[in-house]
Amino acid sequence: MKKKIFIGIFIVFSCFSLFSYENEISDSVVEGSVVLADKTEEINIMWLFLCTVLVFFMQAGFSMLELGLSRSKNAGNIIMKNLMDFCIGSLVFFFIGYGIMFGTSVFGLFGKSKFFLMGSDPSEMSFWMFQVVFAATASTIVSGGVAERTKFVGYLIYSVVITGFIYPVIGHWIWGGGWLSRLGFYDFAGSGVVHLVGGLAALAGAVMIGPRKGKYTRVGDKIVVKAILGHNLPLASLGVFILWFGWFGFNCGSTLDFASSSISRVMLTTTLAGAAGAIIAMVITWVVSKKPDPSMSLNGALAGLVAITAGADVISPVMAIVVGLIGGALVVGSVELIDKVLHIDDPVGAVSVHGVNGLWGVVAVGLFSSDPDKLGLFYGGGFATLGIQLLGVVVILGWTLSTAFLLFFILKKASCLRVTEKEEMLGLDISEHGCESYSGFQIFTNM
Amino acid sequence: MKKKIFIGIFIVFSCFSLFSYENEISDSVVEGSVVLADKTEEINIMWLFLCTVLVFFMQAGFSMLELGLSRSKNAGNIIMKNLMDFCIGSLVFFFIGYGIMFGTSVFGLFGKSKFFLMGSDPSEMSFWMFQVVFAATASTIVSGGVAERTKFVGYLIYSVVITGFIYPVIGHWIWGGGWLSRLGFYDFAGSGVVHLVGGLAALAGAVMIGPRKGKYTRVGDKIVVKAILGHNLPLASLGVFILWFGWFGFNCGSTLDFASSSISRVMLTTTLAGAAGAIIAMVITWVVSKKPDPSMSLNGALAGLVAITAGADVISPVMAIVVGLIGGALVVGSVELIDKVLHIDDPVGAVSVHGVNGLWGVVAVGLFSSDPDKLGLFYGGGFATLGIQLLGVVVILGWTLSTAFLLFFILKKASCLRVTEKEEMLGLDISEHGCESYSGFQIFTNM
Amino acid sequence: MKKKIFIGIFIVFSCFSLFSYENEISDSVVEGSVVLADKTEEINIMWLFLCTVLVFFMQAGFSMLELGLSRSKNAGNIIMKNLMDFCIGSLVFFFIGYGIMFGTSVFGLFGKSKFFLMGSDPSEMSFWMFQVVFAATASTIVSGGVAERTKFVGYLIYSVVITGFIYPVIGHWIWGGGWLSRLGFYDFAGSGVVHLVGGLAALAGAVMIGPRKGKYTRVGDKIVVKAILGHNLPLASLGVFILWFGWFGFNCGSTLDFASSSISRVMLTTTLAGAAGAIIAMVITWVVSKKPDPSMSLNGALAGLVAITAGADVISPVMAIVVGLIGGALVVGSVELIDKVLHIDDPVGAVSVHGVNGLWGVVAVGLFSSDPDKLGLFYGGGFATLGIQLLGVVVILGWTLSTAFLLFFILKKASCLRVTEKEEMLGLDISEHGCESYSGFQIFTNM
Amino acid sequence: MKMITAYIQPYKLNDVKKELFKAQVFKMSITNVLGCGQQGGYTEIYRGVDFEVNLLKKVRIDIAVNENFLDTAIEAILKGARTGEIGDGKIFVTNIEECIRIRSNDRGSEAIG
Amino acid sequence: MKMITAYIQPYKLNDVKKELFKAQVFKMSITNVLGCGQQGGYTEIYRGVDFEVNLLKKVRIDIAVNENFLDTAIEAILKGARTGEIGDGKIFVTNIEECIRIRSNDRGSEAIG
Amino acid sequence: MKMITAYIQPYKLNDVKKELFKAQVFKMSITNVLGCGQQGGYTEIYRGVDFEVNLLKKVRIDIAVNENFLDTAIEAILKGARTGEIGDGKIFVTNIEECIRIRSNDRGSEAIG
Ligand SMILES: Nc1ncnc2c1ncn2[C@@H]1O[C@H](COP(=O)(O)OP(=O)(O)O)[C@@H](O)[C@H]1O
Ligand SMILES: Nc1ncnc2c1ncn2[C@@H]1O[C@H](COP(=O)(O)OP(=O)(O)O)[C@@H](O)[C@H]1O
Ligand SMILES: Nc1ncnc2c1ncn2[C@@H]1O[C@H](COP(=O)(O)OP(=O)(O)O)[C@@H](O)[C@H]1O
């Protein structure tokens, strides 16, 4: 019996040990995976860091593009606008913008916490960084549309308002857990939130400020449209390359997760859409005006990139080419429409590139999405996805146009919007900043 | 007996539970390591993402370099070529190039699957992205060699053929599992596959198109060589910095594996070789022409970078300096040879930088490799490694020169290759693209 | 009994198997965590790779900034200086600099091993890469301060000495385990080690070389200060964007560890300080000279970035704004002081941006650090941290000024320092390098 | 034959050209120059230091005309260039002794137009 | 002493210089100008909008010569610059009343060369 | 009324302007030109190939003056521009037949200053 008892105890003990061991094992496994989880967060911060710096660099891209497509006498002003909308924008976004966009939601309308990034952990801080460069992108898009005639102080005020209010509110609705996102509206990396908002604000600005002197002249009862050439195509092209480079961060980073299986796909669709946009813009200008136009081809590339941004992770590579092709065609058409028919003076094509194609990008999700959760029209999803995407477009249009027009209207009333004719002729560099951008160079300025 | 049976059952049970538990454990461990493996793949995609965007940015570098070293009247054309060879190239590589290069091999000669990236998983997509920027690099190298006189349409056709056929086939042989790689030919990051191919195609192009008007003039029975100065050295230097920046992605990314122990070494050898190349080019021009020449020093840096590319992971840091020094010397010598003796007009030195040094880089592996599997001549490997490297050079020369000459010959016959003398004098910006690149600037163009 | 024995054996066996299994399990777990640890190192190399390439790219930023803020006739010389200080610097740092800085310490004064990176593993190589781009940064800062009048050969000698001796020694004291670091001196990413050293060397250089011809002219007994305008503001602004882009690598990479919890915070403080610096510089010039000055605002951004660099990980975001604001104000004030009162000619403001703000950044740690280990004055740390920081400043001042003045003094005696008046008037491009940087452009050079 | 050399404000060039075309004067050569005149220049501040810009951008127009076109051309320039403000510029008239069309070797007044 | 002022096609400058050197004329001053002439310009399209380029790049050469060199110099210019196509340019000759070499204060016809 | 056209070394412009101001000559027009003269140019090497720079940067100053100012202005230019080295430049004087101030339509010698 003793033996039996012994055996019994032994067995029980061994089972216990087995049991306790099981705990130990699973503990250590848990520990193992805890270690893993830890690294995951750090790696993710690294991922966001990488994408953030790429998107940050887009500021340089926008700056070079706008510089290149406008006249030399305003180059210093363009530099200041592009530098300052980031600098001011990032402080404003730190103080209030981020809180409105990502704070605890009040009825899905706006956020009400996280101002000054109070109580943020590293992950949140890296998320803020990623968001602030997006906000700055939305803001800087406008710069090109109102270039060469806007009072500097007016531009600064504008940039406070867009990064502190206009952008964060719509951003909250779509990305911050607000009502639109709850309805299922999908905007992966910001064709709508960033580009359409920026493009519409540029439209409002361009309309309220009016065209540059000499752009449209009435001859008899016909309005003659004059081309005002950009002064530095090499810089403009550099800008586009920088933007494309940054766009990889913009789109791929929007997964917010280095472990997302979409990253490769997003790179691929982004590349193909941009390429297709540039090619088609070149082809159209080639056919229409007999010569392939560099500045329009550059815009075409950007158009393709903007267009794929909303659906970069849910549109197939081949369809991304289609989206890009349409985007490139849209930019050529709408630049002509806006300039020759509507007589709105948009020096760099910001409205066409970001506005028109931002809109197209949002709609394209509704047409081409192959994601089972939100199938597009052409993938058998009927009008469900498309409908909500269109609703989103309407909402963005309504919100942005109303607030932006109001803003620019007030600025106009306050005489903060436009420089005098004389200052415009002299160039904003001298009149607004007392500087010369190309000291020594002999530059012929007869406009 | 009941007890015994009970005990027996208990033991069996406990053993079973032990067993099943073992399975569970090992499962969870396997699971654990599955999770681990998963992350590895994701991290690797991130690594390729990082290197891909760096290499992508090299497009801007090539563009700025070529712009800077050519005349202002052709700047817009250069922009278009550099934009379009990437855009068209990436579509072509998506449609067919990648399939030929990395599809299932047919007798080690070319691939026959993966067209349109059919059935690719995320890893393959990110691999495609990394490959497409390489293909675009090979393609864009030619642009500089044929600058300032090539018809735009001819250049576009060329870029379709190189990214769709010439490059993928040789790429298949060396990197796609084709016959050359099976023989043991080694080209780590593409001194041969990318640079030598690009440089040779540039040579074929430059020869077939002929020199720019005014470059070589016959005076009596002597040919007088005239220097045609580049118009924007600052942009050229920016281009070189961008290229070097991207080169880190080019070379380090070629490990294809973030966990490769070679990455640090590759960074180191890349840096040292580039530095050595620039220094020696400066020294030589200083000694020979009494003044250190900036544009040649810039080329020297690139020469060093090209030269180390094939063996960046198998050549020791000190030997990397030697390889860079020889590369820098080669570029100075071959620029003079090609220009003054052979009278081939290569505006940016593409043949010397990429061709001559691509060749040198491939050979350098055979001389300096300290990798036990392929010891170089100076490391006791005898002629084994060197022989196969030389064979590779011959193969690349044969393939690329024959296909590229044929291509440019056909283009010439089809009158798609060269603009008219008048167009050339007027500048390609106006004649081919109807644009002005530096509107307003007073530029003196007497050539 | 047989059964009992059998059972006993069975139990023992099962226990053994359990035991052995335990070992197996824990082995595989250990293995698992070994795999994990491995990956950590690889990921860290990837992290350093990322930050290294960003910092490398700052070379382009410095180059563009200096180019933009000086005259066109010296552009080629500036390109050469910026290219060569990296190329020569990296070889020198490979040969001796790194060894002095990070080799085995001799009494905490200098290192004495690791020359030629003897016996380095991948981690060390990646660390070297990260360090060499820092060394190159310190070196290149001087270029701007002595621009437009320095003999090229003198500059080359200077750059050998700073990367091979001046920088590594002070670097050893602070970052290489030398005596200052042992006292607790803190300089996170190099406001002191890199920027203050560079700025002070620039000061020594500018003083020893003397002002550019025409900068200060004596009229009666008054010295009239003339502004010499930079020739390319767009490139200068591009330079600043590139620098800022690289600065993220500079500061965040200084954690040296991707898993550091500081990375996000460092990004945040870096951004806010830079933004604040730019804004305040703009505001001050706006108030003082009635117009917001672009070149000064660009300097302001850099000033903010330099100022936060020493304490980016220990200063709170809100205090980072304060540090940036003071930095921006300091740069405006000190540029005027140095130019108008001290009559030291520093074409790009290198002394103010890097010297003055480097100093301020080091001191700011003593004031604003909220790190429990080194609380700043305003955080209840009393004078402990501040004191040691001030000591560090004194040491850096003493070391750098004495060695740099000596160096430039010797260069002057050896007639290697300054070009002749005629060469200066002609421009260094033609006189030193026999090149034209903007061939064809009509440039008006009357100074 | 006379050479009319006018220095005008750059931004008036288009207006002047328009007026000249109206007056049937189609040929001219244009140079950009820096002018120092009554307008006096202005002072700006670069990096905290004043710099005086006393060379202002001007455009120089050279028009060779036959005597009978001289007044019309001058009138056209005056009409196009005048704003009434300081800095409007000057017109100088000098004598041309010979004029040759390179293409055809035409000489004298028939070569001018 | 006469001043020869020639407006030529930019790409003909080298040829003209060569001819002038052959004719022993070594001194000249060159300016780049924008010309409006019979050539008429061309229309290009920038971002979908026509823009008329009616100011074409030309090069202006000023050569001061003594009377005895006048014809040789003009011949040389004609030889170097003529293509026979519209846009070849014009040559104008005016009188110079005084010429001074700054370096030596030489005056008159000996200062010219 | 006379037109003084001086070609000088670019870096002498400030000195010349200073001397002219001292001599009460405040109005002038400045063009940058490329000059070919006794100075001869220099040879540089670009990417291993010689290139001859025989067009040197010069500055052209045009000053319209009344006869009584002619000598003072010339003296001032000589004083400001002379270094005694080859390349100092030349001064040419031509006759002006008419001068008109665009702003006010003043004509003749009162319009000049
Ligand atoms: N005497 C002169 N000689 C040469 N150029 C002159 C002379 N007077 C005026 N100019 C040119 O005409 C321009 C306008 O002259 P300014 O005196 O400012 O005009 P206004 O007389 O209408 O005020 C000057 O900038 C200069 O280029
Ligand atoms: N009457 C003129 N006054 C001033 N410049 C002229 C005149 N006629 C011609 N030119 C200059 O000569 C250039 C060539 O003139 P153009 O009429 O095109 O040549 P062609 O007579 O050979 O066709 C013009 O672009 C212009 O610069
Ligand atoms: N005969 C001339 N015709 C036109 N320009 C001339 C003439 N002679 C000299 N110049 C101008 O004057 C500049 C200086 O002439 P140069 O002969 O070098 O001076 P110097 O006689 O003092 O040596 C030349 O570069 C050119 O621009």
Side-chain angles (χ1 to χ4, degrees), chain A residues 126-383:
Chain A
S126 68
F127 182 67
W128 181 86
M129 277 302 309
F130 190 64
Q131 290 303 328
V132 76
V133 289
F134 271 61
T137 302
S139 161
T140 209
I141 287 168
V142 176
S143 179
V146 302
E148 307 204 72
R149 58 207 192 273
T150 307
K151 246 191 181 152
F152 184 56
V153 68
Y155 185 79
L156 295 187
I157 296 171
Y158 144 79
S159 82
V160 168
V161 176
I162 194 166
T163 38
F165 179 63
I166 300 178
Y167 173 79
V169 170
I170 191 83
H172 183 77
W173 297 355
I174 297 169
W175 283 348
W179 66 276
L180 248 176
S181 66
R182 292 179 200 167
L183 292 178
F185 178 73
Y186 191 70
D187 184 0
F188 172 60
S191 289
V193 180
V194 178
H195 295 282
L196 182 50
V197 168
L200 292 172
L203 177 67
V207 169
M208 290 305 292
I209 296 176
R212 287 167 291 174
K213 188 181 145 59
K215 177 71 189 157
Y216 307 111
T217 41
R218 180 171 293 278
V219 176
D221 46 62
K222 231 186 66 197
I223 287 181
V224 175
V225 178
K226 251 189 106 158
I228 298 180
L229 274 68
H231 82 280
N232 203 326
L233 222 47
L235 285 193
S237 79
L238 177 63
V240 169
F241 277 119
I242 292 176
L243 285 171
W244 198 328
F245 174 62
W247 225 290
F248 287 116
F250 198 93
N251 282 3
C252 297
S254 290
T255 56
L256 297 176
D257 178 10
F258 82 95
S260 158
S261 63
S262 307
I263 291 172
S264 308
R265 157 98 80 110
V266 172
M267 284 187 87
L268 183 56
T269 53
T270 301
T271 307
L272 295 176
I279 291 171
I280 201 72
M282 172 189 77
V283 169
I284 294 176
T285 58
W286 208 335
V287 169
V288 172
S289 37
K290 303 289 167 298
K291 292 184 179 179
D293 184 58
S295 94
M296 202 60 108
S297 307
L298 293 170
N299 273 177
L302 298 181
L305 293 168
V306 171
I308 200 61
T309 292
D313 63 333
V314 295
I315 291 176
S316 75
V318 173
M319 283 306 138
I321 296 178
V322 175
V323 170
L325 289 175
I326 297 175
L330 279 174
V331 88
V332 178
S334 66
V335 160
E336 297 228 1
L337 180 81
I338 287 169
D339 193 2
K340 285 187 178 167
V341 179
L342 302 179
H343 299 320
I344 297 168
D345 184 16
D346 175 7
V348 307
V351 178
S352 304
V353 168
H354 302 279
V356 174
N357 275 289
L359 194 154
W360 161 235
V362 170
V363 173
V365 171
L367 300 175
F368 296 108
S369 167
S370 58
D371 185 289
D373 291 345
K374 39 186 168 298
L375 281 177
L377 182 64
F378 300 151
Y379 281 75
F383 288 89

Side-chain angles (χ1 to χ4, degrees), chain B residues 225 227-230 289 291 293 295 299 335-336 339-340 348-349 444, chain F residues 32-34 42-55:
Chain B
V225 179
I228 299 180
L229 273 67
S289 38
K291 293 184 178 180
D293 183 57
S295 93
N299 273 178
V335 160
E336 297 229 0
D339 194 2
K340 286 189 178 164
V348 307
F444 200 84
Chain F
N32 68 332
V33 302
L34 296 173
Y42 51 90
T43 301
E44 292 297 349
I45 296 180
Y46 174 74
R47 302 177 67 76
V49 177
D50 293 2
F51 69 98
E52 221 186 307
V53 181
N54 49 21
L55 293 176

Side-chain angles (χ1 to χ4, degrees), chain A residues 1-10, chain B residues 7, chain C residues 1 4-5 11:
Chain A
M1 268 308 283
K2 270 171 105 183
K3 273 188 180 169
K4 281 180 192 170
I5 289 171
F6 176 76
I7 293 171
I9 291 172
F10 194 95
Chain B
I7 292 172
Chain C
M1 268 308 282
K4 282 180 189 168
I5 291 170
I11 290 171

Side-chain angles (χ1 to χ4, degrees), chain B residues 81 84-86 88-90 92-93 96-98 100-101 131-132 134-143 154-172 192-205 399-401 403-405 407-408 411:
Chain B
K81 286 193 303 173
M84 282 304 151
D85 61 22
F86 179 76
I88 293 183
S90 62
V92 170
F93 201 70
I96 53 165
Y98 182 75
I100 292 177
M101 190 155 167
Q131 290 303 328
V132 76
F134 271 61
T137 301
S139 160
T140 210
I141 286 169
V142 175
S143 180
Y155 185 78
L156 295 188
I157 296 171
Y158 143 78
S159 82
V160 168
V161 176
I162 193 166
T163 39
F165 177 64
I166 299 178
Y167 173 78
V169 169
I170 190 84
H172 182 77
V193 181
V194 178
H195 295 281
L196 181 50
V197 168
L200 292 173
L203 176 67
W399 168 256
T400 313
L401 286 178
T403 51
F405 264 107
L407 166 62
F408 285 112
L411 287 175

Side-chain angles (χ1 to χ4, degrees), chain D residues 6-9 33-40 54 56-59 84-92, chain F residues 3-4 25-30 62-65 96 99 101-104 111-113:
Chain D
Y7 294 93
I8 63 165
Q9 294 281 28
V33 304
L34 296 173
C36 197
Q38 211 150 309
Q39 206 180 343
N54 48 23
L56 300 171
K57 293 191 175 176
K58 298 279 165 187
V59 156
E85 280 179 56
I86 284 182
D88 275 359
K90 298 265 171 74
I91 301 174
F92 302 107
Chain F
M3 177 63 82
I4 305 171
V25 178
F26 296 109
K27 306 209 156 177
M28 67 195 84
S29 296
I30 290 161
D62 288 282
I63 310 170
V65 291
I96 300 177
C99 169
R101 189 192 305 277
I102 293 174
R103 166 163 54 93
S104 58
I112 276 225

